[in-house]
């Protein structure tokens, strides 16, 4: 029996003229994700993408896991492929779903007949197949309202497909369909979640991370690269930029009032991220800020940070509570890495009494003591590029 993975389109099914552009992005992403798992044929028809193992060594379990993380799909299911012949459909359903049917008590059959030339109508398929399964598995009962298992038959263009439950897909829009974004990533819990959320809306990510050796360790840097690697499961390859930030932080510490340290530092991050964004074709910056979490995340502080860049700053976590963010971090498997205890450059010279309502005029005044252009040029010149993929 041949097995296949069926991927059902999410929002893109509703798109008009752009649908085919989105479809080809999706197809490319799917091909790339399973490339190292053996040979698969990937094709599309009727708002569904098909991933069919071709070589005997093709790892369908691995492919299912990878494809369940591809943005743009609302549902994903494994199914048995069968000729469009009802007696074969019956036999295949009983054989393919035997293990599941043995373990449950109630079921129902659903039929979707997008190939209208198939001689039986959907209600007829359901009734006949239901009867057949009841005969084969006499312990079963039909429950159309709350079945333990829904057996689905889809009669489509190329073949018929028999399957059990469909799982939710990764949702969102295809990677790249919304352009590119530059994610400011720290080692914390929030920024990887922010990156995941914007990637889910179709942004291809480039990541930028600021390090301050010797105040921050090599372990801290590794931790961030590990986080990026975990994010790649969802967003594909991520070019990651590591920027030396020590000199800038020392200068701010030595020359500016302590209470403004964090906001000035954040403004420098924005300025450097903007330069990197221009180089790498990104049209927005992304951060993991959420209102009220820390002193630098008050509205006046965010206002002072925003004006340091002309690019839109996307903050998908802005209205979320920490526990909601943690739930997503666990789901995307970044949480355990994020809570490893290595120092981040933000925690290095944290002021004792940061200003929660900083005034831009005071900040600009403080910043006059800094050789801004020289500091930024130096950091950008020291920027290192690392390509990370799953
Ligand atoms: P996170 O959990 O992402 O570290 P946080 O709640 O600790 O966030 P801050 O430390 O105030 O918040 O950082 C706010 C945002 O600034 C981060 O979400 C991230 O986008 C960016 N940021 C902070 N530190 C760095 C860094 N070292 N490199 C790049 N971006 C950073
Ligand atoms: Mg942090």
């Amino acid at each position: 029996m041949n097995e296949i993975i069926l991927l059902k389109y999410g929002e893109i099914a509703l798109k008009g003229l752009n649908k085919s552009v989105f479809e080809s992005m999706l197809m490319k992403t799917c091909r790339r994700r399973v490339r190292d798992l053996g040979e698969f044929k990937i094709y599309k028809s009727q708002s569904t993408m098909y991933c069919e193992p071709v070589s005997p060594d093709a790892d369908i379990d691995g492919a299912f896991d990878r494809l369940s993380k591809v943005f743009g799909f609302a549902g994903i299911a494994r199914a048995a492929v069968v000729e469009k012949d009802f007696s074969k459909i019956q036999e295949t359903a009983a054989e393919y779903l035997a293990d599941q049917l043995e373990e449950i008590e109630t079921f129902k059959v659903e039929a979707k007949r997008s190939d209208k030339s198939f001689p039986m109508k959907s209600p007829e398929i359901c009734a006949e197949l239901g009867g057949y399964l009841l005969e084969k598995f006499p312990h079963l009962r039909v429950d159309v309202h709350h079945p333990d298992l829904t057996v689905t038959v889809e009669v489509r263009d190329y073949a018929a497909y028999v399957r059990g439950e469909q799982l939710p897909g990764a949702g969102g829009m295809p990677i790249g369909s919304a352009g590119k974004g530059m994610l400011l990533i720290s080692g914390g819990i929030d920024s990887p979640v922010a990156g995941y959320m914007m990637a889910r809306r179709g942004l291809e990510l480039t990541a930028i991370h600021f390090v301050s050796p010797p105040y921050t360790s090599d372990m801290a840097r590794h931790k961030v690269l590990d986080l990026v690697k975990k994010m790649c499961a969802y967003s594909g390859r991520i070019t990651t930029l590591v920027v030396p930030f020590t000199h800038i932080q020392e200068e701010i510490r030595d020359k500016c009032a302590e209470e403004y340290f964090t906001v000035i530092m954040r403004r420098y991050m924005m300025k450097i991220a903007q330069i990197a964004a221009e180089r790498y074709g990104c049209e927005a910056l992304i951060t993991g800020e959420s209102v009220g979490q820390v002193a630098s995340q008050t509205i006046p502080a965010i206002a002072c940070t925003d004006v340091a860049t002309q690019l839109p700053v996307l903050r998908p976590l802005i209205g979320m509570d920490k526990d909601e963010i943690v739930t997503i971090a666990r789901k995307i498997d970044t949480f355990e890495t994020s809570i490893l205890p290595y120092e981040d450059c933000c925690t290095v010279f944290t002021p004792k009494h940061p200003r929660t309502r900083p005034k831009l005029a005071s900040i600009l005044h403080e910043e006059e003591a800094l050789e801004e252009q020289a500091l930024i040029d130096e950091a950008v010149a020291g920027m290192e590029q690392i390509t990370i993929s799953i």
Side-chain angles (χ1 to χ4, degrees):
M1 187 183 332
N2 289 331
E3 225 185 351
I4 196 168
I5 300 171
L6 301 178
L7 297 134
K8 304 297 171 72
Y9 293 179
E11 277 173 55
I12 73 159
L14 311 170
K15 302 284 172 199
L17 292 175
N18 284 334
K19 184 172 165 185
S20 64
V21 178
F22 292 139
E23 277 183 315
S24 57
M25 284 179 174
L26 265 184
M27 188 122 80
K28 236 192 241 165
T29 304
C30 291
R31 289 206 174 109
R32 228 181 282 135
R33 292 290 167 88
V34 300
R35 198 167 41 193
D36 60 332
L37 299 177
E39 202 183 322
F40 290 89
K41 201 167 127 198
I42 294 182
Y43 49 97
K44 63 181 164 66
S45 163
Q46 299 171 323
S47 289
T48 299
M49 203 151 292
Y50 300 74
C51 174
E52 185 180 334
V54 179
S55 60
D57 67 327
D59 172 9
I60 191 166
D61 294 336
F64 188 86
D65 181 53
R66 295 264 184 93
L67 296 176
S68 70
K69 299 184 173 91
V70 171
F71 296 128
F73 295 114
I76 176 169
R78 285 167 80 139
V81 187
V82 51
E83 215 177 293
K84 288 190 260 186
D85 169 321
F86 190 67
S87 66
K88 297 218 167 93
I89 291 174
Q90 282 185 323
E91 286 161 23
T92 304
E95 188 191 334
Y96 182 60
L97 299 172
D99 289 353
Q100 290 182 61
L101 292 167
E102 292 291 358
E103 290 193 350
I104 56 161
E105 287 168 12
T106 60
F107 79 107
K108 75 168 175 182
V109 178
E110 260 182 26
K112 295 181 183 161
R113 191 180 59 121
S114 49
D115 173 3
K116 300 293 179 206
S117 72
F118 189 71
M120 292 165 78
K121 295 220 167 87
S122 297
E124 209 182 332
I125 299 176
C126 294
E128 292 281 324
L129 179 57
Y132 179 87
L133 292 175
L134 283 172
E135 241 170 63
K136 288 263 169 186
F137 301 88
H139 72 285
L140 287 177
R141 274 180 301 118
V142 171
D143 180 343
V144 290
H145 300 296
H146 304 288
D148 296 332
L149 180 72
T150 302
V151 174
T152 303
V153 178
E154 300 188 32
V155 185
R156 296 178 146 268
D157 278 5
Y158 305 117
Y161 304 88
V162 176
R163 61 175 174 83
E165 304 296 349
Q166 168 175 310
L167 295 180
M173 292 291 289
I175 283 287
S177 62
K180 291 186 188 176
M182 177 71 65
L183 171 67
L184 285 86
I185 186 166
S186 68
I189 295 169
D190 304 333
S191 37
V193 173
Y196 159 82
M197 288 180 70
M198 293 323 302
R200 191 163 188 252
R201 291 312 304 164
L203 277 176
E204 184 183 333
L205 301 179
T206 301
I208 187 165
H209 175 60
F210 298 90
V211 290
S212 298
Y215 306 102
T216 59
S217 67
D218 227 30
M219 303 291 273
R221 173 196 155 103
H222 262 109
K223 171 181 165 179
V224 170
L225 300 182
D226 284 348
L227 284 171
V228 174
K229 182 137 182 115
K230 300 224 173 213
M231 295 173 66
C232 289
Y234 292 91
S235 53
R237 192 182 50 198
I238 301 179
T239 301
T240 304
L241 309 170
V242 179
V243 181
F245 207 51
T246 316
H247 193 197
I248 291 176
Q249 288 196 302
E250 286 173 339
E251 286 287 294
I252 303 173
R253 175 196 61 190
D254 294 345
K255 297 185 176 158
C256 304
E258 186 186 297
E259 57 195 355
Y260 293 115
F261 179 89
T262 310
V263 177
I264 296 176
M265 175 187 76
R266 196 76 78 221
R267 283 166 52 81
Y268 270 79
M269 286 186 179
M270 293 292 169
K271 289 174 190 176
I272 294 167
Q274 169 166 314
I275 295 170
E278 280 158 8
R279 263 192 208 177
Y280 286 83
C282 300
E283 294 169 310
L285 305 181
I286 304 163
T287 76
E289 287 156 306
S290 152
V291 167
Q293 237 190 45
V294 287
S296 58
Q297 297 179 18
T298 61
I299 302 293
I302 287 174
C304 293
T305 311
D306 261 351
V307 291
T309 173
Q310 279 87 55
L311 291 175
V313 181
L314 308 178
R315 299 178 170 92
L317 313 186
I318 199 72
M320 289 172 73
D321 289 353
K322 196 74 184 186
D323 57 344
E324 295 171 307
I325 299 169
V326 165
T327 302
I328 300 177
R330 287 189 193 279
K331 181 179 121 179
I332 63 171
D333 194 31
T334 52
F335 182 74
E336 297 298 330
T337 308
S338 287
I339 59 174
L340 294 173
Y342 313 115
E343 286 262 24
D344 177 63
C345 75
C346 291
T347 40
V348 179
F349 314 107
T350 306
K352 279 186 217 72
H353 302 290
R355 280 269 170 148
T356 51
R357 302 192 57 80
K359 293 229 166 28
L360 184 60
S362 317
I363 286 173
L364 292 174
H365 178 71
E366 291 298 319
E367 286 180 352
E368 279 171 19
L370 304 168
E371 299 279 349
E372 178 172 314
Q373 198 56 53
L375 286 171
I376 290 177
D377 288 347
E378 182 194 334
V380 170
M383 187 161 80
E384 183 191 345
Q385 179 193 310
I386 302 159
T387 301
I388 301 180
S389 53
I390 33 176

